[in-house]
Amino acid sequence: MAPPKSKNTSLVKKQSASASGNGAKAKAPPRNAGPRSLYTPAEVQEIFRRFSVQRPEPKGELDYINPFTLLIAVVLSAQATDAGVNKATKPLFSVADTPQKMLSLGEAKVGDYIRTIGLWRNKAKNVIALSKALIDDHAGKVPEDRDELVKLPGVGRKTANVVLNVAFGQHTMAVDTHIFRIGNRIGLAPGKTPEQVEQGLLKVIPAEYMRHAHHWLILHGRYVCRARKPDCPACVIADICKSKEKTTAVPAPLVPIAPLKEAFPAEV
């Protein structure tokens, strides 16, 4: 004769089954997952095809000589304009274009060069500490690895992604205020954080356009899809755009524009 079933055993089984069922239903999404793009793969392909026709070889607005000076320029550009950074770095880079030369200048002298840039005191400290770290840990060379870059003083994920993309041609996406706005405004890669937008863009942008996608989006956000008032009549993707803010569905003529430094000259 089989022993009677324990009430406690039955209760445990019910609770276990209930927990298992609830767990399946309430499975949390990946930590960095954001809402899905509003665009089909074909629409994303067309968006970046047009950007590539408009600016075949897009360039950033920061002046630099080599990967080291690019890294310094991007670090200095935080809460500062590119034009303002370029004015300060032109004389600085003429005397210090390597970590060794920068370290030899010293914090006070670097500060004199960048005094016109916001937060210059803290940035001067970071420039010297960063230069020393490159010499001590990387033989004076800028590492081509994000994990190593973000260990450097004053270097965050966005700065690391810019350097990896611009200096080394890696398919990274540096999400600044312009790209974060576009990702959410037009629904290309919605996200609550820059990293969510970054991951969304990396998923939807075709590989053949990733090399320049960072610059295309920044320039589009800076000069067309502006923060206060988007210039929709000047937008080459107005017919594809799904933003609720857009004022026209007629795209601007798709023609190559003048190189950046000719179309938007730096202040003198």
Side-chain angles (χ1 to χ4, degrees), residues 23 34 48-49 96 112 123 144 155-156 159 166 168 173 190 209 229 252:
F48 285 92
R49 184 195 72 80
D112 289 339
K123 289 177 179 178
E144 300 183 33
V155 178
T159 295
V166 177
F168 302 118
M173 178 57 61
Y209 295 120
K229 187 178 180 182

PDB file of all heavy atoms in Angstrom, residues 23 34 48-49 96 112 123 144 155-156 159 166 168 173 190 209 229 252:
ATOM      1  N   GLY A  23       7.599  33.053 -13.579  1.00  0.00           N
ATOM      2  CA  GLY A  23       8.929  33.458 -14.040  1.00  0.00           C
ATOM      3  C   GLY A  23       8.985  33.543 -15.547  1.00  0.00           C
ATOM      4  O   GLY A  23       9.588  34.434 -16.119  1.00  0.00           O
ATOM      5  N   GLY A  34      16.259  48.489 -25.600  1.00  0.00           N
ATOM      6  CA  GLY A  34      15.355  49.626 -25.702  1.00  0.00           C
ATOM      7  C   GLY A  34      14.237  49.296 -26.661  1.00  0.00           C
ATOM      8  O   GLY A  34      14.176  48.193 -27.216  1.00  0.00           O
ATOM      9  N   PHE A  48      20.546  55.721 -45.029  1.00  0.00           N
ATOM     10  CA  PHE A  48      22.003  55.871 -45.035  1.00  0.00           C
ATOM     11  C   PHE A  48      22.574  55.917 -46.447  1.00  0.00           C
ATOM     12  O   PHE A  48      23.646  56.500 -46.662  1.00  0.00           O
ATOM     13  CB  PHE A  48      22.647  54.780 -44.171  1.00  0.00           C
ATOM     14  CG  PHE A  48      22.473  55.053 -42.703  1.00  0.00           C
ATOM     15  CD1 PHE A  48      21.389  54.535 -42.015  1.00  0.00           C
ATOM     16  CD2 PHE A  48      23.354  55.880 -42.032  1.00  0.00           C
ATOM     17  CE1 PHE A  48      21.197  54.825 -40.672  1.00  0.00           C
ATOM     18  CE2 PHE A  48      23.177  56.181 -40.692  1.00  0.00           C
ATOM     19  CZ  PHE A  48      22.096  55.658 -40.007  1.00  0.00           C
ATOM     20  N   ARG A  49      21.862  55.353 -47.405  1.00  0.00           N
ATOM     21  CA  ARG A  49      22.294  55.529 -48.796  1.00  0.00           C
ATOM     22  C   ARG A  49      22.243  57.002 -49.163  1.00  0.00           C
ATOM     23  O   ARG A  49      23.171  57.540 -49.781  1.00  0.00           O
ATOM     24  CB  ARG A  49      21.395  54.732 -49.744  1.00  0.00           C
ATOM     25  CG  ARG A  49      21.848  54.789 -51.215  1.00  0.00           C
ATOM     26  CD  ARG A  49      20.774  54.306 -52.155  1.00  0.00           C
ATOM     27  NE  ARG A  49      19.676  55.244 -52.267  1.00  0.00           N
ATOM     28  CZ  ARG A  49      19.707  56.339 -53.039  1.00  0.00           C
ATOM     29  NH1 ARG A  49      20.780  56.643 -53.756  1.00  0.00           N
ATOM     30  NH2 ARG A  49      18.642  57.132 -53.104  1.00  0.00           N
ATOM     31  N   ALA A  96      53.157  70.027 -28.866  1.00  0.00           N
ATOM     32  CA  ALA A  96      52.987  68.773 -28.119  1.00  0.00           C
ATOM     33  C   ALA A  96      52.006  67.859 -28.841  1.00  0.00           C
ATOM     34  O   ALA A  96      50.801  67.901 -28.592  1.00  0.00           O
ATOM     35  CB  ALA A  96      52.495  69.053 -26.702  1.00  0.00           C
ATOM     36  N   ASP A 112      47.623  76.850 -19.586  1.00  0.00           N
ATOM     37  CA  ASP A 112      47.744  78.148 -20.273  1.00  0.00           C
ATOM     38  C   ASP A 112      47.219  78.071 -21.703  1.00  0.00           C
ATOM     39  O   ASP A 112      46.589  79.004 -22.198  1.00  0.00           O
ATOM     40  CB  ASP A 112      49.216  78.604 -20.290  1.00  0.00           C
ATOM     41  CG  ASP A 112      49.703  79.030 -18.913  1.00  0.00           C
ATOM     42  OD1 ASP A 112      48.849  79.347 -18.056  1.00  0.00           O
ATOM     43  OD2 ASP A 112      50.928  79.038 -18.700  1.00  0.00           O
ATOM     44  N   LYS A 123      40.483  69.678 -17.011  1.00  0.00           N
ATOM     45  CA  LYS A 123      40.898  69.061 -18.274  1.00  0.00           C
ATOM     46  C   LYS A 123      42.417  69.032 -18.398  1.00  0.00           C
ATOM     47  O   LYS A 123      42.993  68.077 -18.940  1.00  0.00           O
ATOM     48  CB  LYS A 123      40.268  69.796 -19.451  1.00  0.00           C
ATOM     49  CG  LYS A 123      38.763  69.554 -19.565  1.00  0.00           C
ATOM     50  CD  LYS A 123      38.145  70.343 -20.702  1.00  0.00           C
ATOM     51  CE  LYS A 123      36.647  70.061 -20.810  1.00  0.00           C
ATOM     52  NZ  LYS A 123      35.985  70.837 -21.882  1.00  0.00           N
ATOM     53  N   GLU A 144      43.818  50.517 -29.203  1.00  0.00           N
ATOM     54  CA  GLU A 144      42.705  50.328 -30.128  1.00  0.00           C
ATOM     55  C   GLU A 144      41.630  49.444 -29.519  1.00  0.00           C
ATOM     56  O   GLU A 144      40.958  48.681 -30.221  1.00  0.00           O
ATOM     57  CB  GLU A 144      43.225  49.723 -31.439  1.00  0.00           C
ATOM     58  CG  GLU A 144      44.249  50.589 -32.150  1.00  0.00           C
ATOM     59  CD  GLU A 144      44.703  50.005 -33.474  1.00  0.00           C
ATOM     60  OE1 GLU A 144      43.875  49.341 -34.133  1.00  0.00           O
ATOM     61  OE2 GLU A 144      45.867  50.207 -33.849  1.00  0.00           O
ATOM     62  N   VAL A 155      38.464  59.869 -20.051  1.00  0.00           N
ATOM     63  CA  VAL A 155      37.943  59.176 -21.236  1.00  0.00           C
ATOM     64  C   VAL A 155      36.737  58.321 -20.854  1.00  0.00           C
ATOM     65  O   VAL A 155      36.852  57.398 -20.054  1.00  0.00           O
ATOM     66  CB  VAL A 155      39.019  58.291 -21.893  1.00  0.00           C
ATOM     67  CG1 VAL A 155      38.435  57.539 -23.090  1.00  0.00           C
ATOM     68  CG2 VAL A 155      40.214  59.136 -22.322  1.00  0.00           C
ATOM     69  N   GLY A 156      35.576  58.640 -21.442  1.00  0.00           N
ATOM     70  CA  GLY A 156      34.373  57.852 -21.243  1.00  0.00           C
ATOM     71  C   GLY A 156      34.065  57.033 -22.483  1.00  0.00           C
ATOM     72  O   GLY A 156      34.828  57.029 -23.457  1.00  0.00           O
ATOM     73  N   THR A 159      33.828  59.129 -25.832  1.00  0.00           N
ATOM     74  CA  THR A 159      35.151  59.528 -26.329  1.00  0.00           C
ATOM     75  C   THR A 159      35.884  58.340 -26.927  1.00  0.00           C
ATOM     76  O   THR A 159      36.482  58.442 -28.010  1.00  0.00           O
ATOM     77  CB  THR A 159      35.980  60.125 -25.180  1.00  0.00           C
ATOM     78  OG1 THR A 159      35.363  61.330 -24.729  1.00  0.00           O
ATOM     79  CG2 THR A 159      37.409  60.442 -25.629  1.00  0.00           C
ATOM     80  N   VAL A 166      37.086  57.094 -35.681  1.00  0.00           N
ATOM     81  CA  VAL A 166      37.772  58.071 -36.527  1.00  0.00           C
ATOM     82  C   VAL A 166      39.237  57.700 -36.755  1.00  0.00           C
ATOM     83  O   VAL A 166      39.741  57.771 -37.884  1.00  0.00           O
ATOM     84  CB  VAL A 166      37.659  59.486 -35.920  1.00  0.00           C
ATOM     85  CG1 VAL A 166      38.439  60.506 -36.754  1.00  0.00           C
ATOM     86  CG2 VAL A 166      36.199  59.900 -35.809  1.00  0.00           C
ATOM     87  N   PHE A 168      40.807  54.687 -35.996  1.00  0.00           N
ATOM     88  CA  PHE A 168      41.131  53.304 -36.329  1.00  0.00           C
ATOM     89  C   PHE A 168      40.104  52.621 -37.233  1.00  0.00           C
ATOM     90  O   PHE A 168      40.243  51.440 -37.554  1.00  0.00           O
ATOM     91  CB  PHE A 168      41.301  52.494 -35.038  1.00  0.00           C
ATOM     92  CG  PHE A 168      42.366  53.056 -34.129  1.00  0.00           C
ATOM     93  CD1 PHE A 168      42.040  53.519 -32.859  1.00  0.00           C
ATOM     94  CD2 PHE A 168      43.686  53.143 -34.542  1.00  0.00           C
ATOM     95  CE1 PHE A 168      43.007  54.041 -32.017  1.00  0.00           C
ATOM     96  CE2 PHE A 168      44.665  53.669 -33.711  1.00  0.00           C
ATOM     97  CZ  PHE A 168      44.326  54.119 -32.450  1.00  0.00           C
ATOM     98  N   MET A 173      29.733  53.446 -32.486  1.00  0.00           N
ATOM     99  CA  MET A 173      28.750  54.524 -32.544  1.00  0.00           C
ATOM    100  C   MET A 173      28.863  55.366 -31.277  1.00  0.00           C
ATOM    101  O   MET A 173      28.510  54.910 -30.194  1.00  0.00           O
ATOM    102  CB  MET A 173      27.339  53.945 -32.672  1.00  0.00           C
ATOM    103  CG  MET A 173      26.234  54.981 -32.705  1.00  0.00           C
ATOM    104  SD  MET A 173      26.390  56.209 -34.034  1.00  0.00           S
ATOM    105  CE  MET A 173      26.325  55.151 -35.487  1.00  0.00           C
ATOM    106  N   PRO A 190      15.221  54.215 -30.605  1.00  0.00           N
ATOM    107  CA  PRO A 190      14.774  54.827 -29.351  1.00  0.00           C
ATOM    108  C   PRO A 190      15.489  54.214 -28.148  1.00  0.00           C
ATOM    109  O   PRO A 190      15.849  53.036 -28.163  1.00  0.00           O
ATOM    110  CB  PRO A 190      13.274  54.509 -29.316  1.00  0.00           C
ATOM    111  CG  PRO A 190      12.918  54.094 -30.712  1.00  0.00           C
ATOM    112  CD  PRO A 190      14.153  53.482 -31.289  1.00  0.00           C
ATOM    113  N   TYR A 209      27.594  50.850 -44.113  1.00  0.00           N
ATOM    114  CA  TYR A 209      27.488  52.275 -43.781  1.00  0.00           C
ATOM    115  C   TYR A 209      28.014  52.605 -42.384  1.00  0.00           C
ATOM    116  O   TYR A 209      28.036  53.779 -41.999  1.00  0.00           O
ATOM    117  CB  TYR A 209      26.021  52.728 -43.879  1.00  0.00           C
ATOM    118  CG  TYR A 209      25.471  52.661 -45.277  1.00  0.00           C
ATOM    119  CD1 TYR A 209      24.369  51.861 -45.579  1.00  0.00           C
ATOM    120  CD2 TYR A 209      26.042  53.390 -46.316  1.00  0.00           C
ATOM    121  CE1 TYR A 209      23.858  51.788 -46.862  1.00  0.00           C
ATOM    122  CE2 TYR A 209      25.543  53.317 -47.606  1.00  0.00           C
ATOM    123  CZ  TYR A 209      24.450  52.516 -47.875  1.00  0.00           C
ATOM    124  OH  TYR A 209      23.948  52.451 -49.159  1.00  0.00           O
ATOM    125  N   LYS A 229      14.403  73.548 -33.424  1.00  0.00           N
ATOM    126  CA  LYS A 229      13.490  73.567 -34.566  1.00  0.00           C
ATOM    127  C   LYS A 229      14.105  72.816 -35.739  1.00  0.00           C
ATOM    128  O   LYS A 229      14.973  73.351 -36.435  1.00  0.00           O
ATOM    129  CB  LYS A 229      13.167  75.012 -34.965  1.00  0.00           C
ATOM    130  CG  LYS A 229      12.087  75.102 -36.034  1.00  0.00           C
ATOM    131  CD  LYS A 229      11.775  76.557 -36.365  1.00  0.00           C
ATOM    132  CE  LYS A 229      10.693  76.658 -37.431  1.00  0.00           C
ATOM    133  NZ  LYS A 229      10.405  78.074 -37.795  1.00  0.00           N
ATOM    134  N   ALA A 252      14.386  66.992 -49.360  1.00  0.00           N
ATOM    135  CA  ALA A 252      15.229  67.972 -50.041  1.00  0.00           C
ATOM    136  C   ALA A 252      15.959  67.280 -51.194  1.00  0.00           C
ATOM    137  O   ALA A 252      16.143  66.057 -51.175  1.00  0.00           O
ATOM    138  CB  ALA A 252      16.227  68.564 -49.060  1.00  0.00           C
TER     139      ALA A 252
END
